[in-house]
């Protein structure tokens, strides 16, 4: 075990820190769930990409640096500690890209990844349907063959930032006789394709953070099938593992919140809350260390597998705990609609998206512990 | 940066586990309640034979000269097997408290001496009745007075007089105890999972009921995220000195912890964080294991309670949660 960083890693840290200090907008950007905020976030990510910091682990040809996971963690720590804006392109970069890198054809990689890295094309995830939430395998949206391509029909919902995004990725039933997770195919489609209607849905903070997507005979060429016809489920499962585990929620994000929480706690006279805040900081630290250990295992060639459900359960509850404690520590000021309240509202969604925590607990029980179904 | 153990470190733990599976069956743990000799009997000898008792004793005194990082995984196995006796006191605390060159060190490494230790973080003398040596603060007087322990396999004693602070020895002991709590928690989780798969009610294995599944899943989450804190505490103990690369130090690598969250050795914080988290996780494992077993778990007949009561004995040992929370508070809030 060696918890020191190499000179190259320290140099990267210094470079990233310096760049962020010089470039992070002084004023927080408007919410990315507004038209103006979305545009400003896109602009920010373009500058991040110009510094080759938007996707450090990708190969250089797609805009990355070919960095390892430890280097990625360093970048993430510095990113969140600097107070930089949330990533408007996170669905593409953290959820779709690992799948494209693994399953995509060379043409698909070259076509989609560079534009994702620069946020020229921002992606939305279209998995959930009104009747298929936790039970995603029951999905009903269809894909029918049409010449060299496919026709998509049906409805998707809760699609984050689909209102402003450029492209979507989703699962459709390509074999009408199929059931459950068989006969599904993974498609990529531009959200302005003829036949697509995006209806914004306001979230509980009033902003249109997600949307319904209606597909009325939308044509998609065969080149936009990801990972093979009928293979949708296994291709998609590769994405859920990144969504729940390592990449979507890096420890840097929670450490930054935990540090801000300690600053609040230091000013409090309430011992009980202070202890709780210190405990929550330690939980964030535990998540960081768990991630380091996970990175070491990945480097040994051991897959994360269902352990990503342990991570998802832990980080989502950690985020909520950090914000609940912050509100408690702020006293009357907790009533203000500010950064802590925004963070709290976002944290509330954590146990719901990326597979609810009830579903994660089922996965842990059955696939980690081996309990009967 | 690499947060993983070496092959040697994993091997030592595997060997300890294998040896204890033979030399420390539940029947032996149970016998420790009535027969004092068991507390330094077969399992003691087996651990001495593997070198664990002398692991931290210098090599020129018959030990292995290992660091806490080398042995932390082995201590997890000692916990998993619920080994009785004043092991941490003898193998971890005493070598740090005894003067260099003390003849006791060789006897400890050889498995010939058992030691009991008292300090502020550990006010009770564990198993003083089977110890050859009591390490007490100078002011302590009178003979030990026996008290009943929550864990029938342990005997607690008190002596009149002051308790001195434990310092480094207490931190090392605390990490070994934390590792044991992890092993105890893992055993309890395994036992509950095995029982849930086999016990049937309403025509089904109780482990197929979601309420039971979710209880056990939460135990797993608690233990798995306490684990790296225990590992890191051992790392901090093993790297207490000036960090490599800092001014005046040789070595090419940069000072760790130059990032906002890079590693910075803070022993008090790291040891206490580990103990607090693992105590909570092991306590939850104990409660849930009992709940899942139902009434059979509440009996003396079943071995389960040997592990339960060991958890309840170790949670307050070598720094109770209140002590460790106060240290974390001081370490984390004073800096702001
Ligand atoms: C902020 C936010 C952003 C989102 N973004 C996206 C997105 O970009 N793309 C996308 O496709 N989806 C997105 N989602 C949708 C999300 O994936 C679903 O909400 C989630 O999978 C749960 O589905 P549901 O909402 O239909 O709840 P349901 O499945 O109806 O579940 C309702 C409740 O019942 C519980 N429940 C259901 N089944 C079980 C079971 N077997 N055992 C125990 N409890 C059960 C659930 O845990 C939950 O508490 C987003 C959701 C939120 C809140």
């Amino acid at each position: 075990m060696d918890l020191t960083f190499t000179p190259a890693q320290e140099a990267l840290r210094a470079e990233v820190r310096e760049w962020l200090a010089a470039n992070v907008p002084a004023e927080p950007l408007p919410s990315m769930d507004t038209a103006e905020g979305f545009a400003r976030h896109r602009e920010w990510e373009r500058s991040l990409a110009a510094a080759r910091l938007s996707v450090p682990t990708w190969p250089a040809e797609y805009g990355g640096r070919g960095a390892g996971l430890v280097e990625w963690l360093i970048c993430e720590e510095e990113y969140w500690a600097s107070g930089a804006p949330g990533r408007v392109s996170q669905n593409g970069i953290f959820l779709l890209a690992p799948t494209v890198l693994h399953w995509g054809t060379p043409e698909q990689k070259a076509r989609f990844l560079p534009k994702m890295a620069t946020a020229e094309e921002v992606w939305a995830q279209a998995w959930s349907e009104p009747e298929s939430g936790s039970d995603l395998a029951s999905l009903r949206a269809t894909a029918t063959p049409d010449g060299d391509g496919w026709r998509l029909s049906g409805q998707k919902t809760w699609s984050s930032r689909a209102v402003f995004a450029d492209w979507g990725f989703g699962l459709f039933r390509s074999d009408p006789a199929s059931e459950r997770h068989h006969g599904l195919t993974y498609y990529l489609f531009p959200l302005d394709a003829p036949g697509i209607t995006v209806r914004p849905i306001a979230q509980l903070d009033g902003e249109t953070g997600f949307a319904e997507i209606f597909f009325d005979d939308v044509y998609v060429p065969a080149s936009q099938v990801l990972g093979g016809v009928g293979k949708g489920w296994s291709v998609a499962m590769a994405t859920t593992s990144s969504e729940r585990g390592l990449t979507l929620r890096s420890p840097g994000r929670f450490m930054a919140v935990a540090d801000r929480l300690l600053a609040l706690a230091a000013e409090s006279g309430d011992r009980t809350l202070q202890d709780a805040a210190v405990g929550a900081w330690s939980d964030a630290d535990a998540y960081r260390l768990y991630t380091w250990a996970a990175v070491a295992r990945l480097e040994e060639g051991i897959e994360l597998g269902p352990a990503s459900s342990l991570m998802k359960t832990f980080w989502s509850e950690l985020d909520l705990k950090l914000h609940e404690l912050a509100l408690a520590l702020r006293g009357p000021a907790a009533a203000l609609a500010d950064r802590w309240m925004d963070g709290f509202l976002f944290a509330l969604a954590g146990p719901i998206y990326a597979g609810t925590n009830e579903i994660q607990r089922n996965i842990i029980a059955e696939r980690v512990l081996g309990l009967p179904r | 940066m690499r947060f993983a153990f070496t092959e040697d470190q994993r091997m030592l733990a595997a060997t300890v586990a294998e040896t204890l599976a033979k030399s420390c069956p539940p029947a032996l743990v149970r016998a420790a309640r009535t027969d004092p000799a068991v507390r330094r009997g077969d399992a003691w000898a087996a651990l001495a034979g593997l070198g664990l008792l002398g692991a931290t004793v210098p090599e020129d005194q018959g030990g292995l000269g290992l660091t806490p990082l080398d042995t932390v995984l082995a201590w997890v196995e000692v916990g998993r097997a619920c080994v009785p006796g004043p092991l941490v006191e003898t193998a971890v605390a005493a070598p740090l408290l005894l003067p260099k060159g003390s003849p006791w060190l060789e006897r400890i490494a050889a498995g010939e001496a058992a030691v009991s230790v008292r300090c502020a973080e550990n006010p009770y003398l564990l198993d003083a009745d089977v110890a050859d040596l009591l390490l007490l603060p100078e002011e302590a007087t009178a003979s030990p007075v026996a008290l009943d322990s929550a864990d029938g396999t342990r005997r607690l004693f008190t002596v009149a007089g002051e308790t001195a602070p434990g310092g480094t020895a207490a931190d090392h002991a605390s990490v070994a105890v934390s590792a044991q709590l992890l092993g105890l928690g893992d055993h309890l989780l395994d036992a509950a999972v095995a029982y849930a798969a086999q016990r049937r009610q309403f025509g089904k294995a109780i482990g197929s009921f979601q309420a039971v599944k979710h209880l056990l899943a939460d135990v797993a989450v608690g233990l798995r995220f306490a684990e790296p804190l225990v590992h890191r505490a051992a790392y901090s103990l093993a790297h207490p000195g000036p960090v490599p690369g800092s001014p005046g130090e040789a070595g090419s690598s940069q000072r760790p912890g130059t990032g906002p969250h890079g590693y910075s050795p803070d022993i008090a914080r790291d040891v206490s964080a580990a103990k607090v988290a693992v105590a909570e996780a092991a306590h939850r494992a104990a409660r849930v294991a009992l709940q899942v077993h139902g009434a059979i778990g509440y009996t003396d007949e079943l071995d389960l309670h040997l592990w339960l009561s060991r958890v309840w004995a170790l949670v307050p040992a070598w720094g109770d949660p209140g002590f460790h929370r106060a240290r974390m508070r001081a370490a984390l809030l004073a800096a702001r």
Side-chain angles (χ1 to χ4, degrees), chain B residues 210-232:
Chain B
Q210 204 171 57
V212 172
K213 280 185 175 158
H214 287 196
L215 280 176
L216 292 167
D218 282 336
V219 171
V221 171
L223 289 167
R224 291 292 68 80
F225 284 88
E227 191 167 32
L229 289 171
V230 176
H231 296 168
R232 196 266 307 273

Side-chain angles (χ1 to χ4, degrees), chain A residues 91 125-128 133-134 157-160 203 210 349 352-356 358-359 362, chain B residues 210:
Chain A
N91 280 337
Q125 182 193 39
W127 286 15
S128 305
S134 299
T157 190
W158 318 130
S159 188
S160 292
Q203 294 183 342
F210 44 35
I352 300 175
Y353 65 75
T356 69
E358 288 70 38
I359 298 299
N362 290 347
Chain B
Q210 204 171 57

Side-chain angles (χ1 to χ4, degrees), chain A residues 354-371:
Chain A
T356 69
N357 283 14
E358 288 70 38
I359 298 299
Q360 304 308 321
R361 287 185 169 89
N362 290 347
I363 295 173
I364 294 166
E366 288 163 15
R367 293 197 233 144
V368 178
L369 300 178
L371 285 162

